[in-house]
Amino acid sequence: MKIKENISLKDFNSFGIEAIAKFFTIISSTEQAQEISESLIIEKNNSLVMGGGSNILFTRNFDGLVIKNEISGIELTNETDDFVFIKCGAGVIWHELVLFCIERNYCGIENLALIPGCVGASPIQNIGAYGVEVKDVIHAVEAVPFFDSKIISFSNNDCHFGYRESVFKNKYKNQFIITSVTYKLKKNPVFNISYGAIPQELERMGVKDLTIKGIALAVINIRNSKLPNPKIIGNAGSFFKNPEISIAQYEELKIKFPSIVGYPTDKSNVKIAAGWLIEQSGWKGFREGDVGCHEKQALVLVNFGKATGADIYKLSERIIESVFQQFQIRLEREVNIY
Ligand code: EPU
């Protein structure tokens, strides 16, 4: 395991932002995660573990150690009549895991096809799309704490999952190297096509018999139709979370803005489509220099080429401010800022 100095992170973050890591290393096994965790360099520096770099915005150079997680491997560790348990290295590309499961008819993550990033980020973020959140299929997470080499196992409950939230984003932020995630997937498919765009797309595709593959393909088509490919235009998916407001506030807003898009989350709250709020505030398709707000999905901020992290951050401030002025709702960023 080599520690390099002054390494550009441009190719390691999906925004394509230039930032220099003072130290940089790649780990490709649990043993290497243990080795780096115990080492002096981690004690002396801020450390940041990166997977696919698809949910991060660098606003400055990183004055510490970046650990790029490339721990690989997908294995079936247990099987019952109804479930399979798939243990996956944290550095595996998420969509490769989805393809592995689709091929074998393991059900549960097909709606999460094509989400950028690596397996290790899936519990941190509780990634979600098209009516499914990964928390519903995470069985266990293994991680090595900084400054120690003991492998700790977290059950689903230990992870304290919430909407795009977990203990790894809060209490344990930047304190662990996640080494593997074990998913509990169904052998007998239970399809989730509750999300409006999926049935529409399946119909357009002419699918009659529902399969896991068919759903994944529908999701891939929907994503490709409105989300920019980070390899072509730098971005980190949704930049903001969908905010939750009280039913009372929602009812009030609905009088003024009858087309507001909201989904009840429980008896007292409604989740509002942040994309709608941003679009209504006039930002959709906005471009200034090389920063912009995507023309097909206003929740996605983009780098057209030479934008800096600070430029993108400034645009996000302007959007938060203008949405607040118009709707009295303060958007929160989903992307991690450094
Ligand atoms: N909308 C607009 N204008 C826009 C975008 C959206 O009016 O520019 C409205 C539309 O009415 C649309 C509704 O918002 O029907 C919902 O839009 P969409 O289906 O695109 O989903 P979203 O709520 O904007 C969330 C996730 C996405 C995920 C999609 C699909 C968050 C922050 N984002 O977006 O996740 O792919 O649902 O499930 O929860 C990500 O986290 O990076 C991400 C892309």
Side-chain angles (χ1 to χ4, degrees):
M1 198 178 34
K2 266 199 200 130
I3 310 271
K4 296 184 184 166
E5 282 183 51
N6 298 322
I7 294 296
S8 165
L9 298 172
K10 192 171 176 15
D11 293 338
F12 297 110
N13 71 95
S14 62
F15 257 124
I17 296 292
E18 182 57 279
I20 305 293
K22 189 169 167 204
F23 300 109
F24 180 88
T25 191
I26 294 178
I27 54 166
S28 47
S29 66
T30 301
E31 292 70 33
Q32 288 189 339
Q34 292 171 297
E35 207 182 302
I36 195 83
S37 284
E38 280 188 316
S39 69
L40 262 182
I41 186 156
I42 210 163
E43 272 185 40
K44 288 191 176 154
N45 286 283
N46 297 322
S47 300
L48 168 67
V49 183
M50 277 179 75
S54 55
N55 202 44
I56 198 163
L57 178 69
F58 288 106
T59 57
R60 56 197 142 93
N61 291 335
F62 191 77
D63 188 31
L65 170 69
V66 169
I67 303 165
K68 170 97 170 69
N69 192 333
E70 292 190 357
I71 301 174
S72 63
I74 305 179
E75 63 173 321
L76 191 153
T77 51
N78 196 6
E79 184 167 4
T80 64
D81 287 347
D82 298 325
F83 296 103
V84 283
F85 293 79
I86 305 291
K87 184 172 180 179
C88 192
V92 170
I93 291 172
W94 171 261
H95 189 61
E96 281 175 15
L97 173 67
V98 174
L99 294 177
F100 175 95
C101 295
I102 291 169
E103 283 310 316
R104 290 159 181 79
N105 244 5
Y106 301 155
C107 174
I109 56 173
E110 56 282 357
N111 293 45
L112 307 180
L114 218 62
I115 292 186
C118 290
V119 161
S122 66
I124 300 179
Q125 271 292 100
N126 180 21
I127 57 172
Y130 305 103
V132 171
E133 284 184 322
V134 78
K135 73 174 171 56
D136 301 331
V137 294
I138 287 185
H139 176 67
V141 175
E142 281 187 347
V144 176
F146 286 177
F147 318 124
D148 202 342
S149 63
K150 198 168 51 197
I151 299 172
I152 308 242
S153 187
F154 294 81
S155 69
N156 182 299
N157 262 343
D158 297 336
C159 295
H160 296 291
F161 289 122
Y163 165 59
R164 297 294 191 277
E165 288 291 351
S166 75
V167 76
F168 304 108
K169 238 185 138 173
N170 294 295
K171 188 171 156 202
Y172 295 145
K173 188 171 175 163
N174 290 336
Q175 290 180 44
F176 281 89
I177 303 176
I178 293 179
T179 52
S180 76
V181 182
T182 302
Y183 303 90
K184 181 182 175 184
L185 301 171
K186 292 191 177 78
K187 284 159 80 171
N188 304 309
V190 178
F191 301 119
N192 184 339
I193 54 165
S194 56
Y195 207 88
I198 294 187
Q200 276 168 31
E201 178 57 21
L202 288 168
E203 199 176 323
R204 197 199 60 79
M205 288 159 61
V207 171
K208 298 242 154 47
D209 298 320
L210 219 48
T211 59
I212 289 177
K213 229 179 215 170
I215 294 183
L217 206 58
V219 166
I220 288 171
N221 289 344
I222 300 166
R223 291 188 76 95
N224 281 338
S225 74
K226 55 171 154 181
L227 295 171
N229 179 346
K231 289 198 179 112
I232 301 167
I233 301 178
N235 75 89
S238 299
F239 195 90
F240 302 98
K241 293 194 213 177
N242 285 330
E244 261 189 42
I245 60 172
S246 67
I247 289 202
Q249 189 181 0
Y250 175 68
E251 296 297 347
E252 234 173 77
L253 283 168
K254 189 131 183 94
I255 296 169
K256 248 169 121 185
F257 308 99
S259 66
I260 190 166
V261 182
Y263 315 91
T265 52
D266 54 39
K267 283 199 185 104
S268 48
N269 288 310
V270 180
K271 196 180 268 182
I272 305 295
W276 184 90
L277 297 170
I278 297 168
E279 181 174 347
Q280 297 301 308
S281 306
W283 293 101
K284 195 173 188 172
F286 171 87
R287 177 172 180 169
E288 194 171 85
D290 271 353
V291 276
C293 178
H294 192 53
E295 58 187 4
K296 292 189 189 146
Q297 167 51 290
L299 254 191
V300 179
L301 301 191
V302 295
N303 170 14
F304 287 103
K306 295 210 169 70
T308 64
D311 294 336
I312 290 170
Y313 189 82
K314 262 184 236 148
L315 174 60
S316 73
E317 294 269 77
R318 288 169 71 187
I319 291 174
I320 291 171
E321 195 46 45
S322 81
V323 165
F324 186 75
Q325 288 302 328
Q326 196 164 343
F327 300 101
Q328 285 72 58
I329 297 176
R330 195 162 284 285
L331 294 180
E332 270 180 45
R333 295 177 184 87
E334 196 214 295
V335 166
N336 296 302
I337 312 288
Y338 281 94

